[in-house]
Amino acid sequence: MTSIEHSVRPERALAVGAHPDDVEFGCGATIAKWAAAGTVVDLVVLTDGSKGTWDARADLVALIARRAQEQRDAATVLGVRDVHLLGRVDGELAQDLAIRAQLCALIRTLRPDIVLGHDPWHDGRLHPDHHVAGAITIESIVAARDPHFFADQGLAPHRPRAAMLFEPGRVTHVEDVDGFVATKVEALLAHRSQWRSTMRIADEHDESQRARFAERVHSVARLAGLRIGARAGETFRVIDRV
């Protein structure tokens, strides 16, 4: 299931999520583990998170600003170097050349060994942005490695050694994240605007609800860890030689 190659810590990593908090849910413990060991991690969020509320009367401009700050706060918890917000409208993400060029330029500039992102081939994923974000990530990796894609950028091509796709439709690798799930939970809880809708924390003053959310995250990690005989894990589909 796991491989020696992908248990080796990368020097540089780039994680790409559709929305604020997606990276934390998908690979937050892996990022925390790598960053603690010295990996330089950057994080990209493709959309503005403007649909991330159940309040029909919400001030969406204020929500966008709040979610951006929450993402920066969560990234700090994980040890991420920088957050890159591409600002597409939540729920309207599209596989167009403009966003592919943006992400391609980031890959060429940051030169990650590993790119992490949504698995675009997960049939059961409901949110369309997650599928599209995964496809954009794969397309941008392909573009970044070939000098004839977006040659006007004036950036040297770069080929990561692998893509690690979270929310995997097929698990081919489990990262041992024992000792880092609590950090993942802390980073997720930095997204306070999502407590009610995503994390089922209806009362922010009720510590038991936060504890139940934390236990759900730990439970998922324990189940993943069982695949490789570890106490906690995060699952991925790995694509080598991207």
Side-chain angles (χ1 to χ4, degrees):
M1 177 66 65
T2 190
S3 67
I4 294 174
E5 179 181 357
H6 297 295
S7 295
V8 175
R9 176 183 64 82
E11 294 298 316
R12 293 175 300 278
L14 178 65
V16 183
H19 312 99
D21 83 14
D22 283 344
V23 165
E24 287 86 333
F25 272 112
C27 60
T30 296
I31 287 175
K33 171 187 170 181
W34 288 351
T39 298
V40 176
V41 182
D42 282 81
L43 192 154
V44 178
V45 180
L46 300 180
T47 75
D48 60 11
S50 57
K51 303 275 193 310
T53 180
W54 288 350
D55 181 358
R57 297 174 295 176
D59 179 341
L60 297 187
V61 173
L63 177 63
I64 290 168
R66 180 180 182 184
R67 297 205 71 188
Q69 187 57 54
E70 289 174 345
Q71 182 60 81
R72 294 186 185 98
D73 293 343
T76 298
V77 172
L78 295 178
V80 168
R81 175 178 66 175
D82 201 3
V83 175
H84 309 267
L85 304 172
L86 301 194
R88 291 303 181 92
V89 177
D90 189 350
E92 301 176 21
L93 192 60
Q95 291 169 244
D96 58 53
L97 285 176
I99 198 164
R100 190 190 304 175
Q102 280 183 285
L103 188 52
C104 169
L106 280 171
I107 293 169
R108 287 172 170 173
T109 299
L110 299 171
R111 309 187 77 76
D113 303 307
I114 300 289
V115 176
L116 305 103
H118 298 269
D119 184 351
W121 300 289
H122 185 171
D123 294 339
R125 184 56 57 189
L126 294 180
H127 201 304
D129 283 351
H130 288 195
H131 164 75
V132 174
I136 290 168
T137 300
I138 295 298
E139 291 166 358
S140 300
I141 291 171
V142 171
R145 75 189 188 190
D146 190 323
H148 298 292
F149 281 87
F150 308 116
D152 60 331
Q153 291 179 347
L155 297 169
H158 175 68
R159 186 172 195 154
R161 77 169 190 250
M164 292 176 62
L165 306 177
F166 50 80
E167 304 171 342
R170 181 168 66 90
V171 176
T172 64
H173 171 71
V174 179
E175 187 73 18
D176 184 341
V177 295
D178 184 28
F180 292 93
V181 181
T183 308
K184 173 176 181 164
V185 171
E186 182 183 353
L188 283 165
L189 289 175
H191 295 275
R192 292 179 68 94
S193 66
Q194 304 306 293
W195 282 16
R196 179 176 175 79
S197 57
T198 303
M199 303 178 196
R200 289 179 276 174
I201 303 172
D203 182 354
E204 64 178 31
H205 302 294
D206 186 345
E207 292 185 7
S208 68
Q209 293 184 23
R210 295 199 297 276
R212 282 195 292 272
F213 169 71
E215 175 52 32
R216 288 196 295 273
V217 176
H218 279 278
S219 178
V220 170
R222 284 194 296 270
L223 287 173
L226 288 174
R227 293 172 176 259
I228 57 169
R231 291 195 292 183
E234 285 182 329
T235 57
F236 298 91
R237 183 201 298 259
V238 172
I239 301 177
D240 289 307
R241 298 175 296 280
V242 289

